[in-house]
Amino acid sequence: MTITPAIKKDYITKLAEQGKRVDGRSFDQYRPIEIETGIVKQAEGSARVKIGNTQLIVGIKMGVGEPFPDTPDCGVLSTAAEFVPLASPDFESGPPREDAIELARVVDRGVRESEVVDIKKLVMTPGEKVWLVFIDIHILDYDGNLFDAASLGALAALMTTKIPIFRLLGPGGGLEKSDLEAWYNTTKIQDIYDLYSTPGFEEFIAGNNPEMAKNVKPVALPMTEPPISCTAIKINDYVRFDPSLDEETIADVRLTVATDHKGDLRAMQKGLSGSFSREEIQKVINGALVNGQEIRKQLYAKIGK
Amino acid sequence: MMKSDIKLINSEGKRLDGRGPEDLRKIKIESGVLHRADGSCYLEWGGNKIYAAVYGPREAVPRHCQNPLRAIVQARYNMAAFSVEDRKRPGPDRRSVEISKVISEALERVILTEQFPRATVDVNIEVLAAEAGTRCAGLTAAGVALVDAGIPMRDIPVACAAGKIEDQIVLDLGKLEDNLGQADLPVAISPRTGEVLLLQMDGHLTHDEFDKAFDLAVKGCRFVSDIQKQAIMHKYQSVVATEVQE
């Protein structure tokens, strides 16, 4: 637990009465956001996101395996967050604490419920063989607003993921040419067909044509339009977006709103023990729509969409 | 392709990535890269990407782990789930616990722990991308992060490995060389005095080969030590320069 001295709280609330924030931002304004993708080549997709001094890395790993018995016609999506002690003097090693689990679950819900990743298209043989997608959030520097940074990082990493077909083909990898054919038959994704019908594919599997991997288009994750998460907190009746760590520590209440490209709402999470009025919720939604559009533009520009 | 078909050294004496036997992979070190940490370092060494952060000296908790005479040094080596080909389950495994222990002990030797009784110096090493030689890279990054945190030390610790592939002694094994090679010898030293802070070996070396590999590893350490010092100088020199400009 970070102890923000009473004097700091006083300072933050006094400034708020004049309509100001400690770092000079307006109440609706985000800190500078930086997105960088493809930073870990061992991962299928990866992204580094900075919001002000907050910094984290999201990595995507994939494998093949069995679906959950209750969803035999869906791929498996799993999200985990590590609050490693590198990122803050208050983080300790050990099993994930409840805040790490909340973060992972909020990001997971943002990805799953909004169907950003079309998990129905990650099925090769229903009930038997599907793709597994692991989203791992690794926090490097904690200066507030992990929710937005983690969701944005997950999106950037997923949107740049290349499905590791070549790595998993062949002995021990668990993937066969017949799986690719079955996968194409359920999804009709053209890239899959192009891949296994490329001349020389059989020789590649047999290990005689390693060059082929360089010449085919990688298969991307089947994605839909992503919703963008925006978080606001309230301190003494003043609502502000993208809280810094100091603001977050003394916040009464927090609300995360995810909005999509059409301006519809796709996910919400209220946190902390304070409360919002109906008007304040409207204010947060409106701010989330405006900031969400800006962040979406930046994300698309970065991943070349 | 059968693994045994791979020639680790070609007829011209070059290794798979084009290096000669005594060449290091490319190394990049930046110090002071994280905002929250008291000291930090980002290091790239070949395909390895590593962050190290230092917190402390601060009160050691729980109390029973305090030493009334000196500070304890707690290094924690951790690999990201996505840092390797097959996803690694998050959290400590036996390998990372062992590496954490040998790195803690190596750092404890150079830190002036007697100045901070009952305290702890926490060194967190996060491997984001792994490609052979992460313990040496991690310890080297930790050395820079400790300097950045202003921890009093006798010296800046540094590490480098040598090994044996195709019956030849070579410096700084790459990934395939590590998997298919005959021996790996990571060494950490205190470059000022030449004291050995960490020494491990696996594989098979004759006595003569060991001597040769050890000398080569130390030579590598000294080279990396210069890069460490440049990275530290770079940060603090530029801080002075901006102050003068203003």
Side-chain angles (χ1 to χ4, degrees):
Chain A
M1 177 69 199
T2 304
I3 299 149
T4 302
I7 199 163
K8 209 177 219 171
K9 176 165 188 176
D10 243 31
Y11 178 56
I12 291 174
T13 49
K14 287 254 167 60
L15 272 177
E17 284 160 20
Q18 303 165 27
K20 290 179 186 165
R21 291 168 85 171
V22 175
D23 49 13
R25 283 185 284 157
S26 70
F27 286 167
D28 288 344
Q29 199 182 355
Y30 267 68
R31 292 167 288 177
I33 298 176
E34 282 176 42
I35 305 166
E36 200 185 326
T37 57
I39 48 171
V40 178
K41 79 168 203 290
Q42 286 84 345
E44 271 68 84
S46 60
R48 177 207 306 274
V49 167
K50 289 185 193 174
I51 301 186
N53 283 321
T54 290
Q55 186 181 164
L56 50 79
I57 287 186
V58 180
I60 311 293
K61 289 300 293 179
M62 289 184 68
V64 287
E66 279 182 32
F68 291 120
D70 56 338
T71 50
D73 55 351
C74 289
V76 173
L77 200 65
S78 149
T79 311
E82 272 198 84
F83 282 22
V84 289
L86 172 112
S88 160
D90 309 317
F91 292 172
E92 286 164 14
S93 48
R97 294 182 314 188
E98 59 178 19
D99 42 5
I101 291 172
E102 187 194 19
L103 176 73
R105 284 191 55 86
V106 169
V107 173
D108 188 79
R109 208 172 317 143
V111 171
R112 186 186 304 273
E113 301 303 325
S114 58
E115 293 164 3
V116 185
V117 179
D118 191 348
I119 51 175
K120 290 210 159 58
K121 288 196 174 160
L122 292 176
V123 181
M124 288 169 274
T125 312
E128 283 175 30
K129 207 176 230 184
V130 299
W131 285 103
L132 319 175
V133 183
F134 298 96
I135 304 171
D136 284 285
I137 303 159
H138 214 80
I139 295 150
L140 295 179
D141 217 342
Y142 172 43
D143 196 29
N145 201 6
L146 288 177
F147 280 46
D148 295 356
S151 331
L152 189 56
L155 291 177
L158 287 166
M159 291 170 107
T160 50
T161 291
K162 292 171 185 160
I163 299 179
I165 293 169
F166 285 112
R167 180 162 65 78
L168 298 175
L169 280 169
L175 194 64
E176 317 268 342
K177 189 187 173 193
S178 58
D179 295 326
L180 294 178
E181 286 166 355
W183 188 24
Y184 173 71
N185 289 333
T186 40
T187 61
K188 302 292 173 204
I189 297 174
Q190 190 61 35
D191 289 347
I192 305 169
Y193 181 81
D194 292 349
L195 182 74
Y196 69 72
S197 54
T198 305
F201 188 75
E202 306 281 346
E203 287 83 358
F204 172 78
I205 297 181
N208 299 327
N209 189 6
E211 290 303 305
M212 199 203 115
K214 292 175 192 158
N215 303 326
V216 287
K217 194 175 161 197
V219 180
L221 274 179
M223 305 273 295
T224 55
E225 291 283 338
I228 303 287
S229 287
C230 291
T231 298
I233 53 141
K234 188 173 83 166
I235 308 168
N236 288 7
D237 297 331
Y238 291 97
V239 172
R240 56 190 75 202
F241 277 84
D242 180 30
S244 68
L245 181 65
D246 285 341
E247 291 172 332
E248 208 170 84
T249 321
I250 59 166
D252 304 318
V253 58
R254 180 190 71 217
L255 183 63
T256 303
V257 179
T259 55
D260 68 13
H261 64 296
K262 288 187 241 157
D264 294 340
L265 308 182
R266 301 303 289 263
M268 285 193 182
Q269 175 96 344
K270 183 237 169 202
L272 307 179
S273 56
S275 66
F276 280 113
S277 69
R278 198 174 184 289
E279 290 71 38
E280 284 164 346
I281 292 174
Q282 291 302 335
K283 206 179 198 176
V284 176
I285 291 173
N286 291 332
L289 283 167
V290 175
N291 279 309
Q293 293 301 350
E294 280 305 308
I295 296 171
R296 175 174 292 105
K297 261 188 228 159
Q298 203 180 333
L299 173 65
Y300 281 5
K302 199 69 218 179
I303 60 168
K305 201 177 160 186
Chain B
M1 189 186 298
M2 289 293 291
K3 282 192 167 176
S4 55
D5 291 347
I6 298 176
K7 283 290 283 175
L8 295 174
I9 300 182
N10 69 14
S11 52
E12 286 149 32
K14 295 280 184 215
R15 294 152 71 179
L16 287 173
D17 51 6
R19 286 186 286 158
E22 302 201 356
D23 293 342
L24 283 164
R25 289 173 286 177
K26 197 171 167 240
I27 297 177
K28 176 180 141 186
I29 306 179
E30 272 177 80
S31 87
V33 289
L34 300 176
H35 170 74
R36 290 303 302 282
D38 297 325
S40 59
C41 172
Y42 174 64
L43 179 142
E44 289 181 11
W45 184 324
N48 295 307
K49 294 188 177 184
I50 294 175
Y51 277 89
V54 171
Y55 288 93
R58 59 182 177 181
E59 185 183 10
V61 282
R63 278 224 161 145
H64 66 77
C65 72
Q66 294 182 349
N67 183 325
L69 301 176
R70 59 179 64 88
I72 56 170
V73 177
Q74 303 186 90
R76 179 180 169 277
Y77 166 103
N78 183 45
M79 289 175 93
F82 47 80
S83 63
V84 278
E85 288 276 287
D86 294 315
R87 180 177 184 264
K88 180 199 167 291
R89 265 181 53 134
D93 52 14
R94 293 170 66 86
R95 175 179 171 276
S96 55
V97 170
E98 183 220 330
I99 295 177
S100 301
K101 179 172 181 287
V102 293
I103 292 180
S104 299
E105 289 161 351
L107 299 178
E108 201 170 331
R109 174 65 199 154
V110 288
I111 295 172
L112 297 177
T113 53
E114 59 275 20
Q115 291 190 5
F116 307 103
R118 299 186 190 284
T120 174
V121 176
D122 295 328
V123 182
N124 302 296
I125 299 164
E126 294 295 331
V127 180
L128 296 177
E131 208 181 87
T134 54
R135 77 192 66 194
C136 291
L139 192 142
T140 301
V144 175
L146 284 162
V147 176
D148 187 45
I151 306 288
M153 290 194 288
R154 294 179 179 82
D155 202 352
I156 307 169
V158 62
C160 187
K164 180 179 161 190
I165 54 171
E166 313 255 340
D167 294 321
Q168 256 200 65
I169 300 301
V170 296
L171 188 62
D172 184 26
L173 299 185
K175 192 176 169 216
L176 272 176
E177 294 173 338
D178 192 16
N179 293 347
L180 309 177
Q182 295 150 297
D184 185 19
L185 178 80
V187 176
I189 61 163
S190 165
R192 195 169 52 82
T193 59
E195 282 176 286
V196 176
L197 304 173
L198 178 148
L199 179 68
Q200 297 183 299
M201 190 198 110
D202 59 57
H204 183 161
L205 292 176
T206 65
H207 195 153
D208 284 345
E209 284 170 339
F210 169 80
D211 289 345
K212 202 176 162 208
F214 181 81
D215 290 341
L216 188 58
V218 168
K219 196 172 151 192
C221 285
R222 295 198 181 281
F223 187 83
V224 179
S225 174
D226 285 339
I227 306 174
Q228 280 180 311
K229 285 170 191 158
Q230 282 171 33
I232 295 160
M233 295 283 273
H234 182 77
K235 183 189 172 196
Y236 288 96
Q237 275 177 340
S238 66
V239 169
V240 173
T242 48
E243 272 175 8
V244 173
Q245 276 172 4
E246 281 168 9

